[in-house]
């Protein structure tokens, strides 16, 4: 973290290199810790200082690094300067390093790492994040889990960085599936089943009517007619649709509460059934709407009849499509929120859909379409419960809680808990989120219950266990030792490695803020937990002199604070006992 490498040293570098101060901040980084050798605290990348058009430092970067190191002088802050592989490495006075890092962690609290100079030039923005978006009248499918936790992470990160974030759940509450469901309910539905177990019954009706529609053209025709009545405002059809929607949202809210996730706005495709007609009129007035022989309306994004660039925006009966409603929603949100960025979090299968939506908006004259971004993610494979292939998210949550309770019951170190079910669910969700976030979001991955619940290794269970153990240390020794603190007592390699790693937190947050990938934070927190585990085994508190115990307790408290901050950004609620 550059704040340790203070202004005096940056000014010295600025003079020697004849470069502006702001150019240096992002060229200096904390050195990743190494198990094999003691490393420097900071390094200056010579390569990053080279302008592509500059001939000033065109010679070998190793030579340049050596020359630069010879020109720089140690002082009260920097105790050692050495040339590395294309870098200049700096070692900070150990007592100053300890004091500055621990003081900064405690003072900044939940804002540690977020006040870094790395973020100083980042303008505060209005950001809209659309995520989760389940289909109304269907049970919350497990396929929506990734959108839900990824979108929550992005919203958390943007909010932590000081942006004004609006979280939108854009429900799939309109479209031909409601034509099928309305028809299906009239054929196979039972009011008493709807009241006793609404989503299960609606799901069963939906499956049954789809089978019937595939075999019987009259059922498919009835479904189209029912949806047309919805689009034209038939009160009887709308009343049934509204009942399905209300029952579904009640169920979703209950599940989001279990996940610890909230939304600022519950929107949906139904909000734009009228505005989508305005979109069609606008497209027509701009000469962009083309009628086909079948009676549908399309937009040719290529301008030369390329079939792969034809986007259908209206059915032959005049009803709207998903694309049309998404265009209407984007225009409405710009009017409402005047956003600087809008992020859609959906699976990679919708990549082309969003490319077409953004391109149509731009063709319509909305330059702000460039502020719209799609964050795609891969598919989770092999997610099964003990009863077989899993379909619904609630089955996964129940399975998580059950398996975690069994795991906790089998471990001798498990504490007596006030609410073991709640703790089991929080630990289980951490396990699920960490497995999901360890790789690139775009990658597909194979789900494994065995890997998810390992208490050792790189898992969410291990993160929760580390946090709970460090919290227990504070409870046991906090009152007696926290006031007695000598900086010079934290010179052991285990302490220094932790301090060096804490230095890097702002760089990790900055990297995630650029590419919106949680894996950087996950990797950082797992390394921090492993370092804490080693230190916990070797740096005793109970039988050490008070000033040594106090220093070590401060160190562990700082680790727990940063660990909790990172976990919360990922959407994990840290537990204090387990």
């Amino acid at each position: 973290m550059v704040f340790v490498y203070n202004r005096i040293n940056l000014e010295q570098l600025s003079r020697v290199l004849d470069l502006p101060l702001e150019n240096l901040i992002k060229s200096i980084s904390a050195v990743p810790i190494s198990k094999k050798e003691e490393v420097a605290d900071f390094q200056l990348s010579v390569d990053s200082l080279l302008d592509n058009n500059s001939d000033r430092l065109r010679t070998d970067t190793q030579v340049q690094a050596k020359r630069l190191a010879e020109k720089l002088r140690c002082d009260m802050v920097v105790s050692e300067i050495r040339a590395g592989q294309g870098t200049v490495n700096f070692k900070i006075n150990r007592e100053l390093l300890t004091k500055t890092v621990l003081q900064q962690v405690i003072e900044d609290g939940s804002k540690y790492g977020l006040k870094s100079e790395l973020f100083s030039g980042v303008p505060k923005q209005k950001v809209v994040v659309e995520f989760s978006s389940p289909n109304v009248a269907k049970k919350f499918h497990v396929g929506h889990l990734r959108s839900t936790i990824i979108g929550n992470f992005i919203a958390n990160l943007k909010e932590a960085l000081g942006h004004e974030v609006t979280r939108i759940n854009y429900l799939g509450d309109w479209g031909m599936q409601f034509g099928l469901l309305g028809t299906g309910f009239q054929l196979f539905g039972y009011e008493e089943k709807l009241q006793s177990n609404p989503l299960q019954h609606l799901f069963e009706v939906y499956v049954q009517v789809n089978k019937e529609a595939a075999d019987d053209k009259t059922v498919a025709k009835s479904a189209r007619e029912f949806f047309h009545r919805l689009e034209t405002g038939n009160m009887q059809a709308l009343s049934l649709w509204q009942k399905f929607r209300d029952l579904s949202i009640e169920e979703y809210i209950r599940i989001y509460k279990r996940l610890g996730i909230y939304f600022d706005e519950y929107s949906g495709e139904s909000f734009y059934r009228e505005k989508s007609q305005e979109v069609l009129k606008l497209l027509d007035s701009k000469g962009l709407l083309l009628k086909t022989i079948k009676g549908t309306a399309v937009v040719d994004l290529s301008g030369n009849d390329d079939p792969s660039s034809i986007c259908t925006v209206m059915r032959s009966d005049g009803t709207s499509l998903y694309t049309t409603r998404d265009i209407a929603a984007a225009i409405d949100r710009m009017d409402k929120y005047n956003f600087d960025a809008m992020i859609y979090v959906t699976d990679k299968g919708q990549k082309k859909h969003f490319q077409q939506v953004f391109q149509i908006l731009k063709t319509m004259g909305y330059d702000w379409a460039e502020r719209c971004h799609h964050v795609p993610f891969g598919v989770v494979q092999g997610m099964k419960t003990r009863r077989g292939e899993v379909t619904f998210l609630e089955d996964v949550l129940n399975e998580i809680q059950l398996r975690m309770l069994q795991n906790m019951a089998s471990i001798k170190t498990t504490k007596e808990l006030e609410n073991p079910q709640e703790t089991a669910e929080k630990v289980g969700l951490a396990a699920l989120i960490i497995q999901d976030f360890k790789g690139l979001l775009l990658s597909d991955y194979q789900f494994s219950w065995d890997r998810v619940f390992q208490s050792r290794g790189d898992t969410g269970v291990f993160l929760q266990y580390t946090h709970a153990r460090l919290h227990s240390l504070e409870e046991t020794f906090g009152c007696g030792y926290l006031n007695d603190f000598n900086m010079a007592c934290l010179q052991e390699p285990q302490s220094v490695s932790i301090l060096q790693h804490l230095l890097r937190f702002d760089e990790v947050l900055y990297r995630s803020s650029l590419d919106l990938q949680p894996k950087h934070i996950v990797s950082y927190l797992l390394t921090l937990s492993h370092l804490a585990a080693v230190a916990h085994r070797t740096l005793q508190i109970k039988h050490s002199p008070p000033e040594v115990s106090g220093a070590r307790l401060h160190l562990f408290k700082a680790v727990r604070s940063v660990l909790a901050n990172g976990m919360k950004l990922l959407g994990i609620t840290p537990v204090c006992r387990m």
Side-chain angles (χ1 to χ4, degrees), residues 136 168-174 231 241-242 245 249 265-278 320 325 328-329 332-333 336:
V136 165
I168 294 181
N169 197 341
Y170 185 63
L171 302 169
D173 65 352
W174 203 250
E231 287 257 295
W241 166 83
Q242 188 69 50
R245 188 181 194 276
I249 290 176
E265 179 184 306
Y266 279 87
S267 179
E269 294 178 64
S270 63
F271 285 53
Y272 302 104
R273 62 181 187 269
E274 292 175 10
K275 290 185 178 181
S276 63
Q277 296 301 318
E278 294 171 21
S320 62
R325 295 190 288 272
D332 180 61
R333 289 171 191 171
K336 187 175 180 179

Side-chain angles (χ1 to χ4, degrees), residues 516-576:
L516 302 182
Q517 294 286 335
K519 71 185 185 82
H520 311 305
I521 297 173
V522 169
S523 176
Y524 176 89
L525 296 181
L526 288 167
T527 300
L528 182 61
S529 295
H530 285 296
L531 290 171
V534 172
H536 186 266
R537 287 195 300 269
T538 55
L539 304 179
Q540 297 296 316
I541 291 177
K542 190 172 183 179
H543 300 297
S544 301
E547 62 176 12
V548 174
S549 297
R552 290 173 178 174
L553 198 59
H554 266 278
L555 181 69
F556 287 128
K557 185 176 182 180
V559 170
R560 188 189 64 77
S561 176
V562 174
L563 186 60
N565 292 348
M567 289 167 76
K568 288 172 186 174
L569 283 176
L570 296 173
I572 296 168
T573 303
V575 299
C576 296

Side-chain angles (χ1 to χ4, degrees), residues 2 52 147 297 316 371 381 405 423 446 525:
V2 182
N52 289 332
S147 173
S316 57
R371 304 180 202 174
Q381 297 161 332
L405 278 169
T423 300
Q446 192 70 30
L525 296 181

Side-chain angles (χ1 to χ4, degrees), residues 205-218:
V205 166
Y206 189 72
V207 170
Q208 192 171 354
V209 74
N210 266 287
K211 287 178 182 174
E212 294 290 332
D215 300 328
D216 187 343
K217 288 183 179 180
T218 59

Side-chain angles (χ1 to χ4, degrees), residues 310-324:
I310 300 291
C311 181
T312 305
V313 292
M314 187 185 78
R315 291 190 181 88
S316 57
D317 62 2
T319 56
S320 62
L321 286 161
Y322 181 54
T323 300
T324 331

Side-chain angles (χ1 to χ4, degrees), residues 321-449:
L321 286 161
Y322 181 54
T323 300
T324 331
R325 295 190 288 272
D326 262 5
I327 293 166
I331 296 168
D332 180 61
R333 289 171 191 171
M334 190 57 182
D335 290 342
K336 187 175 180 179
Y337 297 111
N338 190 27
F339 57 77
D340 299 295
M342 180 155 65
I343 299 165
Y344 297 84
V345 184
T346 72
D347 67 87
K348 59 187 178 184
Q350 296 197 50
K351 183 180 179 182
K352 185 177 180 180
H353 164 75
F354 283 107
Q355 285 175 340
Q356 290 182 331
V357 168
F358 302 158
Q359 199 173 342
I360 290 172
L361 284 166
K362 200 169 181 182
T363 307
M364 291 171 76
Y366 296 115
D367 292 338
W368 49 260
E370 292 181 354
R371 304 180 202 174
C372 299
H373 311 283
H374 177 217
V375 175
F377 55 82
V379 178
V380 184
Q381 297 161 332
M383 188 176 274
K384 298 178 181 180
T385 66
R386 289 168 187 175
R387 294 188 303 277
E389 196 72 38
V390 72
T391 305
F392 303 123
L393 179 58
E394 190 156 30
D395 294 334
V396 174
L397 297 182
N398 293 338
E399 185 88 3
I400 279 172
Q401 190 183 81
L402 179 64
R403 287 185 184 238
M404 202 61 234
L405 278 169
Q406 291 172 343
N407 282 16
M408 287 161 57
S410 67
I411 298 171
K412 293 178 182 178
T413 55
T414 298
K415 309 285 185 187
E416 191 73 33
L417 301 171
E418 284 184 20
N419 192 334
Q421 286 81 11
E422 186 180 311
T423 300
E425 186 147 293
K426 287 176 181 175
V427 176
L429 280 171
L432 199 68
I433 289 169
I434 293 301
Q435 174 156 297
D436 198 288
F437 285 178
K438 278 164 74 172
L440 280 170
L441 296 180
L442 198 55
S443 302
D444 299 339
Y445 76 90
Q446 192 70 30
F447 183 83
S448 166
W449 286 111

Side-chain angles (χ1 to χ4, degrees), residues 468-488:
R469 186 162 61 170
L470 294 176
H471 185 270
S472 177
L473 275 181
E474 289 175 45
E475 279 189 328
T476 306
F477 301 107
C479 297
Y481 292 112
L482 272 174
N483 296 327
D484 204 352
F485 177 28
N486 185 347
M487 305 292 174

Side-chain angles (χ1 to χ4, degrees), residues 110-286:
S110 63
K111 294 291 182 185
Y112 178 72
L114 298 165
K115 295 182 176 182
S116 167
E117 294 94 332
L118 291 172
F119 298 110
S120 60
V122 179
K124 298 298 179 268
Q125 297 184 325
K126 293 179 181 177
V127 181
V128 172
V129 186
E130 182 199 295
F131 63 104
S132 194
S133 307
N135 293 310
V136 165
K138 297 179 185 177
K139 289 189 76 172
F140 201 140
H141 194 277
V142 73
H144 292 280
L145 174 62
R146 288 205 86 186
S147 173
T148 305
I149 61 177
I150 292 167
N152 186 53
F153 158 71
I154 291 171
N156 288 346
L157 182 61
K158 292 287 186 183
E159 214 162 55
L161 292 170
H163 302 300
E164 185 182 327
V165 178
T166 302
R167 302 160 186 253
I168 294 181
N169 197 341
Y170 185 63
L171 302 169
D173 65 352
W174 203 250
M176 187 52 71
Q177 78 261 28
F178 283 95
L180 283 162
L181 193 63
T183 298
F185 192 76
Q186 289 170 345
L187 292 171
F188 319 115
Y190 294 93
E191 187 63 32
E192 59 271 24
K193 285 187 177 181
L194 183 68
Q195 295 303 324
S196 62
N197 195 347
L199 289 194
Q200 183 62 38
H201 184 51
L202 289 175
F203 173 71
E204 289 165 356
V205 166
Y206 189 72
V207 170
Q208 192 171 354
V209 74
N210 266 287
K211 287 178 182 174
E212 294 290 332
D215 300 328
D216 187 343
K217 288 183 179 180
T218 59
V219 174
K221 184 184 176 187
S222 295
R224 287 193 296 273
E225 289 171 352
F226 188 94
F227 182 53
H228 185 71
R229 291 202 299 277
L230 279 176
E231 287 257 295
T232 52
N234 178 278
M235 291 309 294
Q236 188 179 2
L238 281 171
S239 175
L240 189 59
W241 166 83
Q242 188 69 50
K243 184 188 289 186
F244 295 161
R245 188 181 194 276
D246 292 346
L247 288 167
S248 298
I249 290 176
E250 280 179 28
E251 180 76 355
Y252 296 151
I253 289 172
R254 185 177 62 79
I255 293 172
Y256 288 128
K257 191 175 180 181
R258 288 183 71 176
L259 291 167
I261 289 171
Y262 72 93
F263 292 92
D264 299 301
E265 179 184 306
Y266 279 87
S267 179
E269 294 178 64
S270 63
F271 285 53
Y272 302 104
R273 62 181 187 269
E274 292 175 10
K275 290 185 178 181
S276 63
Q277 296 301 318
E278 294 171 21
V279 167
L280 292 171
K281 288 175 186 174
L282 191 56
L283 284 167
D284 197 24
S285 70
K286 291 178 178 287

